[in-house]
Amino acid sequence: MTTNTEASRHDDSLATALPVANFLSYFAIAAVEFSVPFVAVSTLGANSLVIAALGVCRFAPQVLLARSAARVVERYDLRTVMLGSELLRVAAFVLSALALAVSSGIGLGIFAVANIALACASILTSVATQVLVPAVFADEKLPRIYARLGIAESTADAAAPFLTGLGLAAIGVSQTFGVAAALALGACGLLLRIPRLYAASGTVGGKTTATPPSTLRRGLSLNLRTPPLRIITVWAVSYNFGQCVIEALLLIALLDRTPVAAASYGVIRTCAVLFAAVGAWAAERLPTSLRSGLGTSVFGCGAVASYALLGVGVYVGGMEGLVIVLVGFVLDEFCSGVVLVRIQAFRARAIAEKDRPIATAAYRAVNLTAVPAGFAVGGVAGLLLSPASTILVVGLLMVLPAVLILSRSVRETT
């Protein structure tokens, strides 16, 4: 078994290997997430209810299995956990490649199983990464590593839909899924560099200490333990919820009130995601005063408040409104790229090593719960109210969590 002290010797190798593995893995995931709904509708005849069910299969297991994921990370070494989760993705991609070889009903069932496998892999990787990075890298290196991971993820998310669309047209569906599986296997090769490091087992001076049970209730309490942690958690949940309410209505409102077309909408979203990579890159290149709690507050405020700008753009409509929407998207992605690096580094320092698995699992679970809740509220609101007016109201209400993260406790502590 490798100790935490010995693991620090691996940081130079992992500083490159982890971001590259992150890029390969997220590119493969984004390619499949783009392909599955498209193929399900265009080839297998899926309706909106089936697409919604596939979305549930992709996210619900991450909430339901959060506690189990924390226990797995606590029990097994981190290399085994991360390799296992990546191999689970490979299995999901191979399954997806076989979906068109059977009847449409069975094919849709295969897509559902593949999405569940991807969900299980995602929660395991998320928890394990948040334990691994602070265990291997020194405190002063954490923001730089999180920035590299953020750049890799955002770049993959931006490039995958475009290249996957070309792949579906050029080489076919099954072959595209096969390429995704090959990329995930490439990530596995890089993850072999992770030392056999275990999560802290609750020992002090060689003696085993009593460790509270790993329950989601305890994990949530860890995320609410101090004012800065409490504010950041409320901010993140509000951000995810409001964003998804708006996302459920946005395209409907844009098509109704602006001259947006499929191509221009795709360009807008791609440009916006690229700014997330720019934000992650800039996180450690900002003035010193902003590489602290002040930066967390300022960019956290900007990320959420940008939805007020987006709401105004949708409500104004026309070409002018579309330009405002683009500015809102860019501001959101850039600010979120910066603030996520700052928050990850702060949480790594603020949460004790032995508490990280369950704290991370609970944090992810509560944020993922906000996603379907937001979509559900947005969907119902769109049936009862004007989509443009709803987006404007929700965008203005998101100013409240934007102001909350400007709290003095966040500015001075993180």
Side-chain angles (χ1 to χ4, degrees):
M1 176 176 123
T2 304
T3 64
N4 290 12
T5 302
E6 291 169 342
S8 63
R9 301 172 188 171
H10 298 260
D11 62 352
D12 290 338
S13 174
L14 287 177
T16 300
L18 279 180
V20 174
N22 212 43
F23 174 83
L24 293 176
S25 184
Y26 273 97
F27 187 98
I29 293 169
V32 172
E33 287 181 340
F34 172 85
S35 302
V36 165
F38 180 82
V39 174
V41 172
S42 62
T43 305
L44 300 180
N47 57 29
S48 59
L49 185 60
V50 172
I51 296 302
L54 290 174
V56 170
C57 290
R58 181 69 181 92
F59 291 103
Q62 297 189 58
V63 178
L64 299 175
L65 299 176
R67 179 183 177 186
S68 299
R71 288 183 171 179
V72 169
V73 171
E74 290 169 341
R75 181 174 180 180
Y76 299 99
D77 70 89
L78 296 175
R79 183 169 73 177
T80 297
V81 174
M82 295 194 72
L83 278 173
S85 63
E86 202 63 45
L87 288 172
L88 197 56
R89 291 190 180 97
V90 174
F93 301 150
V94 172
L95 270 177
S96 299
L98 301 175
L100 296 185
V102 294
S103 65
S104 60
I106 296 175
L108 291 172
I110 289 174
F111 278 154
V113 172
N115 272 4
I116 291 172
L118 286 176
C120 295
S122 293
I123 187 64
L124 283 171
T125 299
S126 177
V127 176
T129 300
Q130 295 306 315
V131 174
L132 173 68
V133 172
V136 173
F137 298 97
D139 280 358
E140 63 272 13
K141 293 183 179 180
L142 291 179
R144 185 181 306 170
I145 298 303
Y146 285 125
R148 290 182 180 180
L149 293 174
I151 292 169
E153 180 180 345
S154 297
T155 305
D157 285 343
F162 173 72
L163 294 177
T164 302
L166 294 180
L168 290 173
I171 63 176
V173 176
S174 296
Q175 292 81 355
T176 300
F177 287 132
V179 171
L183 291 174
L185 281 174
C188 287
L190 293 167
L191 294 176
L192 286 172
R193 301 184 187 184
I194 296 173
R196 289 192 176 278
L197 175 68
Y198 286 77
S201 57
T203 59
V204 178
K207 298 181 180 180
T208 302
T209 60
T211 303
S214 294
T215 63
L216 287 181
R217 182 176 180 180
R218 175 172 170 266
L220 183 58
S221 70
L222 290 168
N223 286 289
L224 303 175
R225 184 178 56 188
T226 66
L229 283 171
R230 185 160 54 247
I231 289 170
I232 286 171
T233 300
V234 172
W235 171 87
V237 172
S238 302
Y239 182 22
N240 284 317
F241 179 79
Q243 182 183 54
C244 290
V245 172
I246 289 175
E247 193 69 28
L249 302 168
L250 183 61
L251 190 53
I252 296 172
L254 286 177
L255 289 172
D256 181 53
R257 299 179 67 88
T258 71
V260 72
S264 57
Y265 185 67
V267 170
I268 288 173
R269 298 308 295 257
T270 298
C271 289
V273 173
L274 288 175
F275 271 90
V278 174
W281 174 85
E284 285 307 292
R285 293 167 175 81
L286 296 168
T288 303
S289 61
L290 292 177
R291 281 182 277 159
S292 61
L294 179 61
T296 303
S297 290
V298 170
F299 291 101
C301 175
V304 182
S306 65
Y307 282 87
L309 190 63
L310 191 149
V312 170
V314 171
Y315 195 78
V316 168
M319 183 57 70
E320 297 84 356
L322 193 58
V323 171
I324 296 173
V325 168
L326 173 60
V327 173
F329 272 135
V330 168
L331 180 63
D332 169 40
E333 295 292 350
F334 177 78
C335 289
S336 64
V338 175
V339 74
L340 289 179
V341 171
R342 304 305 319 165
I343 286 176
Q344 286 178 314
F346 165 66
R347 284 174 53 82
R349 295 164 180 153
I351 297 173
E353 189 174 6
K354 64 183 177 63
D355 294 328
R356 283 178 195 141
I358 192 61
T360 301
Y363 184 78
R364 187 171 179 84
V366 73
N367 276 285
L368 284 174
T369 301
V371 172
F375 276 116
V377 170
V380 172
L383 297 176
L384 303 176
L385 305 168
S386 162
S389 299
T390 303
I391 291 173
L392 177 62
V393 171
V394 173
L396 293 176
L397 287 175
M398 289 179 74
V399 172
L400 298 177
V403 173
L404 179 64
I405 202 169
L406 290 173
S407 165
R408 179 178 178 181
S409 64
V410 175
R411 296 198 314 269
E412 295 183 353
T413 306
T414 61

